[in-house]
Amino acid sequence: MPRLAAPFYAALLAAAMALAGPVAREASAAAEKKVVRMAFRAVETGFDPMRIDDRYSVGVCENLYEPLLTYDYLARPVRLVPLVAEAIPQAEEGGTRFTFRVRPGIFYVDDPAFNGKKRELVAQDMAYAIKRFRDPAVRSPYEWLFEHKILGLDEAAEKAKKTGRFDYEGKIPGLEVRDRYTLSIKLTEPDYNFLYILAMPNVVPVAREVIEKYGADSHAHPVGTGPYVLKEWVRRSKIVLERNPNYRGFELDVTHANPADDFDRRAVAALRGKRLPILDRVEIYPIEDSQPRFLAFLNKEHDLLDEMPTSYIHLALPNGKLSPELQRNGVTVFREEQLELTYDSFNLREKVDGKDNPVGGYAPERVALRRAMVLAYDRDREVAILRKGQAIPAQTPVPPGVVGYDANFRSREQDYDPARAKALLDLYGYVDRDGDGWREQPDGKPLVIEYKYSSGQDNRELAELWSKSMAEVGIRMRDVSVQFADLLKDRKVGKFMVSGAAWIADYPDAQNFLQLLYGPNTGQSNDAAFQLEAFDRLYRRSIALPDSPERNALYRDMNRLFLAYAPWRLGVHRIYNHLQYPWVKGYKKHPILYTNFKYLDVDVAAQRAASR
């Protein structure tokens, strides 16, 4: 541990204790309930599952709604299991048909939209939800999941664009509701990841009468069949979930638990034979700055610290081990090489807010500028200094642990090399014409790049590194901080030049990452607006193939095109350390599922004693 770390740690603890009094009183008031409190490191956008794509909103929806399929909590590698479907269907008709039977007797949360009646989940609700993804009025960022996928659905979506109204009563051959509980889905061609899509926590049945009652305010009125209900929502400040009184409950499946895994052993010991969920209440506080988020955990204001800020890694985990202070408090740590990628998008649109965008387009000099900026960025410093070594430099858009990852693919095009960057800028006419120390564009216009990022200490440091790296090669850059939810909106509509982003696996296949660069996904997941027919053609061919050497060869060709045109600066695959106090029982971070609230228990007596 560095010499100053211990005093600083003590100072953090002192600051935490100064806040502990009100927290202890609140904890006492809720003593008889099983409550878990934690923070999100970014703000949510809302809880209409078809209208969201950020990890935090989807993580909440994971507790409010239920997809047809989900993942076994303990099985590694990940394993699909049925949820509201009775079973995982076998592919029929050459891999183009999947028939699901919904479990009878599953009911939605009581809501005024149901006029005082109990509302059962039926197959039509899933068909309606899939249609909503393609309704132009919904503007779903996940519309791409069902584009060119289901027989007749594209035609219905195109008709809606012309008429201004999606015909939800119209017959779609690929969505056949055979009876109250049976839905048969016919694909236009085989898709070997289709079942993974139906396990995503925002690909869920929804009740049409709820959506129609609340209209544009559907984000604030989530009505699902999940284990929890939204009890309170103070936007961007507080989210409270309480146990769903209508929920049928379940028991933990321990079939695939690993007896050699400490977290599996503890989860089995704590939960075996109990009716889940056990928690009465979950309180979530979005806190974008890392210090107050860390302090809230230190003073036991929060019970969990998912995604511990890397800026405190040497205090909490010196030399890779829990600090003596945390050990004395019984804290455990779950280390995760997350299935995710950080990256910085260049906006390839020619205009931003009506003005010329110097990093946009496909002209040789624009491509050269993007490639030079990638070479000039000091990613080595990012990993070593800003991320404290808790990251793996990305070589392709696909992270380790995902099907289709190529461990042997290496390229110098994303390496830190300021000499090459300067040479490339000089070659394409980006030179300092007026002697002020900053390069101009080839036509003599000023060259000023705007970097837009999500507010918070860690992201601010990354933005400063960008500016310093660009200054070293003579490129003027200014950075603009906005809240996470606002950044998502700006990226969707192209209101940025360069912007930081991250993508966490929706399902464990390379396709889920490469679709971020697929041209038709522009305005949905492809925020860079990268539209290259050669790339798109390879992507379409890869969709129709299972995991195979043939598909991997297509991925390598796609990676080479990506590196040549540089629509992104590849970042890192982050390593996260998740901390838990000993009174939290059953914790294990899942590679795909966002939250684990329905699997947790709390030792209330130990929690209450600690809060004193």
Side-chain angles (χ1 to χ4, degrees):
M1 181 179 289
R3 182 177 299 175
L4 295 179
F8 182 51
Y9 195 93
L12 281 174
L13 284 171
M17 292 305 296
L19 302 173
V23 175
R25 288 191 293 273
E26 289 178 16
S28 178
E32 298 309 312
K33 287 184 176 276
K34 295 200 172 189
V35 181
V36 159
R37 302 173 180 86
M38 65 173 297
F40 280 168
R41 61 185 182 86
V43 298
E44 77 295 336
T45 54
F47 310 116
D48 181 336
M50 279 90 242
R51 295 172 58 199
I52 56 175
D53 66 345
D54 67 280
R55 173 248 191 275
Y56 305 98
S57 298
V58 174
V60 172
C61 283
E62 189 173 63
N63 298 277
L64 309 176
Y65 298 89
E66 296 179 290
L68 294 172
L69 309 174
T70 187
Y71 294 89
D72 186 292
Y73 183 49
L74 300 178
R76 303 294 186 273
V78 297
R79 180 175 179 271
L80 282 177
V81 293
L83 186 53
V84 300
E86 288 186 339
I88 299 176
Q90 295 295 315
E92 306 170 72
E93 300 176 15
T96 62
R97 183 175 292 278
F98 295 88
T99 301
F100 294 88
R101 180 169 169 80
V102 173
R103 298 177 193 268
I106 296 176
F107 291 91
Y108 286 95
V109 174
D110 295 336
D111 189 85
F114 303 139
N115 297 316
K117 299 177 181 179
K118 290 291 185 185
R119 171 63 155 84
E120 188 180 21
L121 173 66
V122 294
Q124 184 64 54
D125 298 334
M126 191 69 233
Y128 172 69
I130 291 173
K131 292 174 184 177
R132 283 196 76 219
F133 278 104
R134 297 304 317 277
D135 184 345
V138 176
R139 299 178 63 85
S140 174
Y142 271 110
E143 183 181 6
W144 59 271
L145 289 172
F146 298 102
E147 280 185 307
H148 316 306
K149 189 84 64 180
I150 294 176
L151 192 66
L153 188 56
D154 287 349
E155 291 78 2
E158 287 303 314
K159 181 180 178 182
K161 291 177 183 177
K162 294 175 183 177
T163 63
R165 177 184 173 275
F166 194 98
D167 182 8
Y168 283 97
E169 290 76 26
K171 182 177 176 59
I172 295 174
L175 292 173
E176 182 185 350
V177 180
R178 293 180 176 174
D179 58 41
R180 183 172 178 82
Y181 302 112
T182 306
L183 172 65
S184 188
I185 302 175
K186 174 68 174 177
L187 306 183
T188 56
E189 60 184 6
D191 182 347
Y192 293 88
N193 289 314
F194 188 66
L195 291 179
Y196 283 135
I197 289 172
L198 295 179
M200 290 172 56
N202 59 320
V203 181
V204 292
V206 293
R208 181 174 177 178
E209 52 266 55
V210 170
I211 299 300
E212 292 182 347
K213 177 177 177 61
Y214 296 112
D217 200 29
S218 59
H219 272 317
H221 296 277
V223 178
T225 65
Y228 290 93
V229 300
L230 181 66
K231 183 67 175 179
E232 180 183 354
W233 181 29
V234 181
R235 293 173 189 261
R236 304 186 179 193
S237 178
K238 183 179 182 181
I239 304 162
V240 177
L241 309 180
E242 288 193 353
R243 194 150 42 135
N244 176 4
N246 289 348
Y247 192 65
R248 60 202 179 276
F250 67 100
E251 290 188 9
L252 178 68
D253 185 349
V254 301
T255 306
H256 300 281
N258 179 1
D261 183 280
D262 286 342
F263 280 87
D264 280 23
R265 287 201 305 270
R266 286 195 288 264
V268 171
L271 304 177
R272 186 199 289 269
K274 293 182 179 179
R275 202 69 183 161
L276 305 177
I278 297 173
L279 296 182
D280 296 296
R281 181 179 171 98
V282 179
E283 296 179 5
I284 303 165
Y285 301 89
I287 304 174
E288 293 188 323
D289 283 332
S290 58
Q291 187 184 66
R293 193 164 70 251
F294 189 50
L295 283 173
F297 181 76
L298 287 185
N299 78 349
K300 304 179 181 66
E301 187 177 347
H302 293 168
D303 308 287
L304 298 171
L305 181 59
D306 271 5
E307 302 175 340
M308 189 192 76
T310 54
S311 49
Y312 299 109
I313 191 73
H314 296 317
L315 301 178
L317 291 163
N319 301 315
K321 296 183 179 181
L322 281 165
S323 70
E325 290 86 351
L326 292 178
Q327 288 185 47
R328 281 195 293 272
N329 281 281
V331 171
T332 54
V333 58
F334 187 99
R335 185 180 185 275
E336 177 192 23
E337 294 183 9
Q338 198 169 76
L339 302 185
E340 60 121 49
L341 168 76
T342 70
Y343 59 99
D344 289 302
S345 293
F346 295 103
N347 184 354
L348 269 64
R349 300 167 180 86
E350 297 280 1
K351 303 280 186 181
V352 174
D353 287 339
K355 299 178 182 178
D356 288 339
N357 175 21
V359 298
Y362 300 84
E365 67 275 10
R366 298 294 179 86
V367 175
L369 175 60
R370 295 195 297 269
R371 292 182 66 166
M373 291 176 66
V374 170
L375 291 167
Y377 180 85
D378 193 348
R379 187 170 62 173
D380 298 338
R381 181 177 178 83
E382 175 186 339
V383 172
I385 306 300
L386 302 188
R387 300 197 183 276
K388 308 296 190 291
Q390 302 300 297
I392 303 167
Q395 298 294 327
T396 76
V398 181
V402 166
V403 176
Y405 169 70
D406 187 346
N408 297 316
F409 191 96
R410 292 287 184 275
S411 173
R412 295 182 58 227
E413 303 307 314
Q414 297 275 330
D415 290 347
Y416 176 53
D417 195 336
R420 286 177 64 203
K422 290 177 182 178
L424 196 55
L425 292 167
D426 291 343
L427 180 64
Y428 280 87
Y430 294 93
V431 296
D432 179 10
R433 288 176 171 79
D434 58 11
D436 66 351
W438 300 106
R439 296 176 185 267
E440 279 78 44
Q441 297 186 55
D443 60 4
K445 294 179 181 177
L447 177 62
V448 181
I449 309 296
E450 182 179 280
Y451 181 76
K452 186 172 285 190
Y453 67 97
S454 173
S455 57
Q457 178 183 336
D458 295 344
N459 291 327
R460 184 165 57 250
E461 291 175 351
L462 290 169
E464 291 171 356
L465 178 58
W466 252 114
S467 295
K468 290 177 181 177
S469 295
M470 294 305 101
E472 289 178 3
V473 297
I475 295 176
R476 192 197 314 262
M477 177 177 272
R478 62 168 178 256
D479 52 70
V480 177
S481 169
V482 298
Q483 280 207 317
F484 178 69
D486 296 325
L487 180 64
L488 291 179
K489 294 175 184 176
D490 288 348
R491 287 174 59 84
K492 286 288 177 290
V493 298
K495 292 181 62 176
F496 73 99
M497 288 186 189
V498 187
S499 172
W503 187 266
I504 302 173
D506 295 309
Y507 49 89
D509 192 276
Q511 179 198 98
N512 188 234
F513 290 85
L514 293 170
Q515 60 81 22
L516 296 167
L517 297 157
Y518 181 50
N521 288 353
T522 297
Q524 300 176 58
S525 55
N526 181 357
D527 293 343
F530 181 54
Q531 296 176 325
L532 188 70
E533 179 53 35
F535 185 97
D536 294 346
R537 187 165 53 249
L538 293 169
Y539 177 81
R540 286 191 292 269
R541 286 174 57 192
S542 74
I543 291 176
L545 295 173
D547 178 31
S548 61
E550 182 182 359
R551 191 179 72 157
N552 290 340
L554 295 177
Y555 287 165
R556 282 192 292 273
D557 290 342
M558 293 162 72
N559 285 330
R560 292 186 184 103
L561 287 171
F562 160 79
L563 292 167
Y565 284 88
W568 295 351
R569 181 199 70 81
L570 283 175
V572 299
H573 310 301
R574 287 177 288 194
I575 299 169
Y576 278 117
N577 295 279
H578 311 292
L579 305 183
Q580 315 87 42
Y581 280 110
W583 52 84
V584 177
K585 308 295 184 181
Y587 182 95
K588 185 175 184 181
K589 181 70 173 63
H590 194 275
I592 303 295
L593 300 176
Y594 294 115
T595 63
N596 47 17
F597 303 143
K598 68 180 181 179
Y599 298 103
L600 299 183
D601 193 2
V602 167
D603 182 337
V604 176
Q607 185 186 48
R608 188 189 310 134
S611 71
R612 296 195 187 109

